[in-house]
Amino acid sequence: MSSYNPFNSTIFNKVIMAGTGVILVLFVIGHMVGNLQVFLGADVFNTYAHFLKSTGELLWIMRLVLLLCVVLHVYTSLKLKFLNMKARPEGYSVTSYVKSTLYSRTMIYSGIVIFLFVVYHLLHFTAFVTNPEYADYSENYGPVLQSSGMIDHSGNIIQVTEGEGIFDRHDAYKMVITGFNKPIVAIVYILAVLFLALHLSHAIQSMFQTLGWSGPKTTPRLMLVSKLIGWGLFVGFASIPVSVLIFGLGKGVIG
Amino acid sequence: MKLTLNIWRQKDKNSKGQFENYNLNEVSPDMSFLEMLDVLNEDLLHKGDEPVAFDHDCREGICGACSMTINGRPHGPEKQTTTCQLHMRKFNDGETITIEPFRAKPFPVIRDLIVDRTSFDRIQQAGGFVSVNTGSSPDSNAVPIAKVAADKAFDAAACIGCGACVAACPNGAAMLFTSAKIGQFALLPQGQPERKERVIAMVKQMDSEGFGACTNHYECEAACPKGISVEFIAMMNRDFMKASFSR
């Protein structure tokens, strides 16, 4: 038994898939809720974007955790896929499935599509590599009161600076509206979230099963929840490019 | 009934197999699937051909020997039914039926439809037992066991080790079998002293045999002639993680 490491087992690899999946799903839900603020107008949306960027180290910790999850999730999935392919070297000439679905059997492909999309999405809206002009979109906001102070060791306020003024921040709203006004970009985003919906429709229930929560009553409910979250995310995310492209959301900001 | 059978023929483990077509003209709808194959084999013997080799034993649905994949489903289209309990009335007159062996690397084909399932025996031998002799059966209710636990343990113990779960799994995983063999002890007091060692040892053996990893399609549960629930896989995952961290 000494040579066996349970952390190399198929089960532990499945647990890595599920554990990283939980974090990524929670992020994606939060990301969608944040994005939906675009419907509340430029000011709300830019305030939210500015807040995210101003979190400093916290933002980078978040980014590193997500990066680690993505790397582990992709690496482990490929490892398991090759293992599973080796477990059946000679396939059936006739297949007939009962409980599995097309999307449960194509997780690896929907996963690859989502991964490629995430790379593009980061180059597009985060690093501005595909559209360097986005970096120059800025807007003035204010007047707002900004104050800062220092206290000494006995708790007395010793220095207060207060000022009211007009400040400058990145115009994320204009960036999103401009981006989705290109039909091809909007279509890529809509298709990507469609694949995300298919992936998560199987994945969320699967995470619970792998992590040990299952039962004759529980599993059908979790399957329903899985589909609701998957398609809910599709509607939420896709509503933004659809609104921009078809219903002219934010038309005023682009000249 | 008239039937066309498309059957996998393979001389031995090392030969390459291929499908062969056979026509049967007088099949009774009341025959079991294996009786239909017996008729085919008698025909082949009369003609001086090699009969189709297939596994069978009890022919009453309790031994798990009759392993074959019928039209893409292990044990055929009928729910919770072994091949020997499947009747020809479930097929249509004039139908073509494709019969293949169970397919998985740890289940190598020995001949035609017979596969070597000793990998299951090795998983069982790795820990699927209670080490101490518990003597003759105890007085009833001497060891209190909740009805729910007893029923569930019995559900797991219904596994006949036929291998349909592996054959049905798109990944060739043996998690339903292994989890049933672990689950039948994990729920009972007799299984507690060796609970951690058992799950680690049996999963280790399962992995080393070259079975795939579960991706929760639940095809195993659908194919299982005893209707064993994937709930046992979730329970095995839980037990395995607990045992790994507390070693």
Side-chain angles (χ1 to χ4, degrees), chain A residues 8-231:
Chain A
N8 271 334
S9 62
T10 45
I11 293 184
F12 190 72
N13 277 294
K14 278 155 45 75
V15 169
I16 292 177
M17 292 303 294
T20 53
V22 170
I23 296 172
L24 292 171
V25 168
L26 290 176
F27 164 75
V28 166
I29 293 171
H31 189 33
M32 181 198 70
V33 173
N35 285 3
L36 287 177
Q37 295 178 67
V38 77
F39 292 110
L40 300 176
D43 190 46
V44 173
F45 191 70
N46 284 340
T47 305
Y48 166 66
H50 185 65
F51 159 73
L52 287 184
K53 283 270 166 88
S54 67
T55 48
E57 289 87 353
L58 208 62
L59 179 69
W60 279 103
I61 291 169
M62 194 63 202
R63 284 174 170 172
L64 283 174
V65 168
L66 290 172
L67 180 70
L68 185 72
C69 284
V70 169
V71 169
L72 274 175
H73 198 77
V74 172
Y75 170 75
T76 312
S77 70
L78 293 174
K79 197 162 86 174
L80 288 174
K81 183 70 191 169
F82 289 125
L83 181 96
N84 292 345
M85 279 159 60
K86 268 202 286 184
R88 178 163 296 139
E90 180 145 18
Y92 291 105
S93 74
V94 179
T95 48
S96 166
Y97 297 109
V98 186
K99 287 205 173 179
S100 67
T101 52
L102 183 65
Y103 51 85
S104 79
R105 293 190 302 271
T106 51
M107 290 295 276
I108 191 86
Y109 307 109
S110 56
I112 290 168
V113 170
I114 294 163
F115 176 75
L116 293 175
F117 167 74
V118 167
V119 172
Y120 166 70
H121 180 47
L122 290 174
L123 294 175
H124 184 217
F125 279 159
T126 307
F128 314 131
V129 174
T130 57
N131 299 66
E133 71 275 12
Y134 289 168
D136 304 327
Y137 290 1
S138 68
E139 64 149 15
N140 295 324
Y141 71 105
V144 287
L145 186 70
Q146 287 199 338
S147 61
S148 60
M150 285 171 79
I151 49 169
D152 65 13
H153 51 82
S154 48
N156 301 313
I157 298 169
I158 52 168
Q159 190 192 342
V160 178
T161 52
E162 267 191 348
E164 198 184 53
I166 306 283
F167 300 93
D168 198 48
R169 68 185 174 193
H170 181 236
D171 194 349
Y173 186 79
K174 187 180 171 189
M175 174 182 81
V176 169
I177 303 297
T178 315
F180 288 155
N181 254 298
K182 291 197 191 99
I184 184 77
V185 173
I187 289 167
V188 165
Y189 272 76
I190 294 166
L191 285 178
V193 290
L194 178 69
F195 277 98
L196 182 72
L198 294 174
H199 198 75
L200 295 187
S201 296
H202 174 70
I204 294 173
Q205 180 277 134
S206 193
M207 300 183 314
F208 286 109
Q209 163 77 12
T210 299
L211 296 175
W213 197 26
S214 164
K217 275 188 193 156
T218 318
T219 303
R221 281 180 200 157
L222 289 174
M223 281 175 165
L224 182 68
V225 167
S226 202
K227 289 195 180 79
L228 287 176
I229 295 179
W231 290 102

Side-chain angles (χ1 to χ4, degrees), chain B:
Chain B
M1 287 174 84
K2 284 185 180 181
L3 290 173
T4 304
L5 303 172
N6 189 30
I7 305 180
W8 183 261
R9 302 302 307 262
Q10 184 172 336
K11 197 162 169 279
D12 56 41
K13 205 171 177 172
N14 303 315
S15 329
K16 235 182 111 62
Q18 77 289 320
F19 282 101
E20 298 273 353
N21 269 307
Y22 302 96
N23 291 310
L24 281 182
N25 293 324
E26 282 173 46
V27 176
S28 155
D30 297 330
M31 282 177 183
S32 78
F33 202 84
L34 297 187
E35 283 164 346
M36 182 274 294
L37 288 178
D38 291 337
V39 170
L40 170 72
N41 279 346
E42 273 180 37
D43 271 9
L44 291 175
L45 281 168
H46 280 302
K47 281 189 224 156
D49 292 336
E50 272 293 315
V52 177
F54 63 90
D55 249 335
H56 63 102
D57 189 18
C58 73
R59 298 209 178 196
E60 52 187 17
I62 56 169
C63 78
C66 48
S67 57
M68 58 190 77
T69 307
I70 303 161
N71 288 340
R73 303 237 185 119
H75 294 301
E78 194 70 351
K79 206 177 156 190
Q80 293 193 25
T81 305
T82 54
T83 305
C84 63
Q85 296 299 299
L86 175 68
H87 288 84
M88 296 318 293
R89 54 180 168 269
K90 300 292 172 186
F91 297 87
N92 300 317
D93 192 21
E95 196 176 332
T96 301
I97 306 173
T98 301
I99 313 171
E100 298 172 78
F102 282 1
R103 296 276 189 209
K105 185 168 156 270
F107 285 175
V109 174
I110 302 171
R111 189 182 179 93
D112 299 339
L113 301 174
I114 301 181
V115 295
D116 178 358
R117 284 171 286 181
T118 48
S119 48
F120 266 16
D121 297 342
R122 289 187 292 273
I123 295 175
Q124 186 70 315
Q125 283 156 7
F129 47 81
V130 171
S131 296
V132 292
N133 188 348
T134 52
S136 57
S137 51
D139 290 342
S140 49
N141 300 328
V143 184
I145 300 170
K147 172 93 168 90
V148 181
D151 284 352
K152 226 179 195 182
F154 201 82
D155 287 347
C159 172
I160 51 177
C162 66
C165 46
V166 175
C169 176
N171 308 322
M175 293 214 175
L176 191 64
F177 166 77
T178 311
S179 68
K181 295 300 177 198
I182 292 168
Q184 63 186 0
F185 293 116
L187 292 157
L188 298 177
Q190 292 87 342
Q192 299 314 311
E194 294 169 296
R195 187 168 178 172
K196 286 177 186 168
E197 291 84 349
R198 179 178 301 114
V199 66
I200 297 271
M202 290 179 75
V203 170
K204 175 193 173 188
Q205 191 60 37
M206 175 185 81
D207 283 351
S208 70
E209 295 289 347
F211 289 105
C214 175
T215 51
N216 309 320
H217 294 296
Y218 308 148
E219 287 294 338
C220 53
E221 187 183 272
C224 179
K226 298 295 156 186
I228 292 169
S229 163
V230 292
E231 205 184 335
F232 290 106
I233 301 180
M235 200 171 106
M236 171 177 72
N237 293 345
R238 254 188 348 248
D239 267 17
F240 183 81
M241 292 314 289
K242 266 190 225 160
S244 301
F245 282 108
S246 62
R247 267 186 349 146

